Amino acid sequence: MTHSNGRRRVVVTGQGVVTPLGTGVDRFWAALKNGECGIRQVQGFSTEDLYITIAGEIPDFDPKERLQSKPLMLADKYSQYAGCAAQEAVAQSKLELPLKDNESYRSACIIGSGVGGLTTLEFSYKMLFKENKRATHPLTLLKAIGSSASAHVSIEYGIKGPTFGVVSACATATHAIGLTYRMIREGLVDFGIAGAAEASLNWGATRAWQAMRVLSPDGLFPFAKRRNGTVLAEGAGILMLEEYERAKARGAPILAELMGYGMTADAADMVNPSIDGASMAMQIALDDAAVSPGDIDYVNAHGTATAVNDINETRAIKRVFGTAANKLSISSTKSMHGHCLGAGGGIEAVAAVKAIEEKFVPATVGLDEVDPECDLDYTPNVGRRREVNYAMSNSFAFGGLNAVLVFGPPPA
């Protein structure tokens, strides 16, 4: 089936996540519905000389239990997260892998990371400069590079088409999903594994983020008057995307249709977001999906709980949606799973698809007193049931890099 303009349609046939709320989509979604918070005191490294001591660490990830791939056992943690999430997405899609030769070049594997194997690098620097070792681990380079996750997953499943990593800070996963969508839509490939993974929680990274003064020592409270910064987290979010006719022919589970994708750059400031760039990315995504602002029921906001971002995102939504903004349900699930950096857009895309599937809008937890300048319906504290046919997922990154996805119901 194609759109009236002749473009091929793209559907979601599988999803996988690793998050601070738990590993696996079922556990993650149950936690979102219950309003649970995965932000806790750091356990994985010493915070004795840090003033930031909270983060969204992964609570239940043992690679020996979670992974079937022996090469992934030797990989950096970010690649392991990606491999685990991809494994879940592939299983749900019921796609038979590894692929046959005639299919392998018609597939893609676009899995990015904001920073790649940062934990591997910190461990290596410790060996060299603190322990005075003569060399690092022989796999250091392979573990650290930002395309390792995509390479590992492509090897695991025999994907021989476009395979690479994307890097666009906190918009990484959304860009990866959007690029894969475009490849399928335009006929370059027939299906693809897309998303991102991040495992950047360590002492050095926290020191670097502390220096920017954008982290909260208390919690992540998007759109709240008391918000005072974001909270670092890690994880992975992966979608299996597939051309609709192919998915239907093989009886695949069709969870939603990916209908639109917009991307812009502010070209203004490395840190302070622009209303123009964010609103234009949303508008491009709506136009690409051929839906009107009034059709969107739910927006999974970028919602980082920094002072400027939340106000500017509110203003950008108002600019694009006009009077329809008052009918939207909006939430920032970061309030529960933290800011997973490059992986955030993948995890949040899963939340948007589940909102359509289950007709439920997850909450923005910790939203007690709303900032008067954030005066839309941000679903405070308790999620709610409502008709959700179309959902938007926003990712607005450092550097002014914006990416937006629009999902709709499975094609009739």
Side-chain angles (χ1 to χ4, degrees):
M1 181 187 294
T2 59
H3 285 288
S4 58
N5 58 14
R7 299 187 326 201
R8 304 198 319 166
R9 303 180 76 167
V10 181
V11 294
V12 180
T13 59
Q15 302 182 106
V17 294
V18 175
T19 82
L21 293 169
T23 295
V25 172
D26 289 346
R27 175 69 190 93
F28 167 66
W29 181 246
L32 286 187
K33 290 179 72 174
N34 291 333
E36 298 176 21
C37 185
I39 296 169
R40 311 171 187 87
Q41 289 293 314
V42 169
Q43 302 295 318
F45 56 91
S46 173
T47 59
E48 185 177 347
D49 58 349
L50 302 173
Y51 74 84
I52 298 298
T53 62
I54 58 172
E57 294 182 298
I58 307 301
D60 58 352
F61 191 86
D62 182 345
K64 294 178 181 178
E65 294 180 359
R66 295 286 184 182
L67 299 170
Q68 299 170 1
S69 167
K70 290 183 179 179
L72 272 171
M73 298 293 184
L74 302 174
D76 184 88
K77 191 160 58 171
Y78 99 94
S79 291
Q80 293 179 345
Y81 290 164
C84 179
Q87 186 175 283
E88 183 182 18
V90 169
Q92 185 179 23
S93 75
K94 296 181 169 53
L95 191 64
E96 291 187 13
L97 296 171
L99 297 164
K100 300 172 183 175
D101 285 342
N102 62 335
E103 291 184 313
S104 60
Y105 291 100
R106 297 286 302 170
S107 58
C109 183
I110 316 301
I111 300 176
S113 178
V115 293
L118 199 59
T119 300
T120 290
L121 291 177
E122 181 175 69
F123 179 74
S124 299
Y125 292 145
K126 180 182 177 183
M127 289 177 66
L128 291 173
F129 301 122
K130 190 172 182 179
E131 299 174 0
N132 296 315
K133 302 287 187 182
R134 295 178 62 87
T136 64
H137 190 283
L139 296 180
T140 297
L141 178 61
L142 294 178
K143 293 170 71 172
I145 57 178
S147 58
S148 288
S150 58
H152 273 291
V153 173
S154 77
I155 291 168
E156 187 70 15
Y157 299 118
I159 294 172
K160 297 181 180 179
T163 296
F164 53 87
V166 172
V167 180
S168 54
C170 310
T172 296
T174 306
H175 275 124
I177 292 166
L179 290 174
T180 306
Y181 153 75
R182 290 289 299 271
M183 288 181 191
I184 298 170
R185 192 186 75 181
E186 308 302 335
L188 181 64
V189 297
D190 296 322
F191 75 93
I193 298 171
E198 209 77 85
S200 58
L201 288 180
N202 55 50
W203 181 86
T206 305
R207 286 298 293 262
W209 278 88
Q210 274 191 178
M212 287 191 68
R213 304 292 180 181
V214 295
L215 298 184
S216 168
D218 308 312
L220 200 156
F221 311 115
F223 309 108
K225 190 174 182 179
R226 63 170 170 155
R227 71 186 185 280
N228 61 351
T230 198
V231 176
L232 297 181
E234 59 185 7
I238 301 289
L239 300 185
M240 173 68 82
L241 300 177
E242 198 165 347
E243 191 272 322
Y244 171 59
E245 294 292 352
R246 182 183 189 279
K248 184 173 70 170
R250 69 178 188 83
I254 298 177
L255 310 177
E257 180 175 7
L258 179 47
M259 303 178 67
Y261 170 50
M263 52 180 168
T264 63
D266 293 352
D269 193 280
M270 284 298 294
V271 179
N272 292 318
S274 156
I275 297 172
D276 292 341
S279 60
M280 184 57 71
M282 286 189 274
Q283 187 62 59
I284 292 170
L286 289 170
D287 293 344
D288 190 45
V291 298
S292 69
D295 293 324
I296 301 295
D297 303 298
Y298 170 57
V299 175
N300 188 295
H302 188 55
T304 59
T306 55
V308 176
N309 176 87
D310 290 5
I311 291 173
N312 280 13
E313 186 168 12
T314 299
R315 292 172 179 171
I317 290 171
K318 287 181 175 181
R319 179 184 293 183
V320 173
F321 285 84
T323 57
N326 297 318
K327 300 177 182 178
L328 283 172
S329 286
I330 306 167
S331 67
S332 172
T333 53
K334 286 184 177 70
S335 61
M336 290 180 270
H337 55 68
H339 194 348
C340 299
L341 306 179
I347 292 168
E348 291 155 22
V350 170
V353 170
K354 291 298 290 185
I356 292 171
E357 183 181 356
E358 299 212 2
K359 309 299 181 189
F360 184 89
V361 174
T364 302
V365 304
L367 185 51
D368 42 14
E369 186 178 359
V370 180
D371 184 331
E373 295 191 67
C374 300
D375 54 352
L376 297 173
D377 179 5
Y378 289 107
T379 321
N381 300 311
V382 179
R384 70 172 74 106
R385 296 201 170 275
R386 67 159 287 175
E387 190 70 18
V388 181
N389 290 309
Y390 298 94
M392 174 181 283
S393 183
N394 290 341
S395 297
F396 306 137
F398 276 169
L401 312 180
N402 309 301
V404 176
L405 300 170
V406 171
F407 296 94

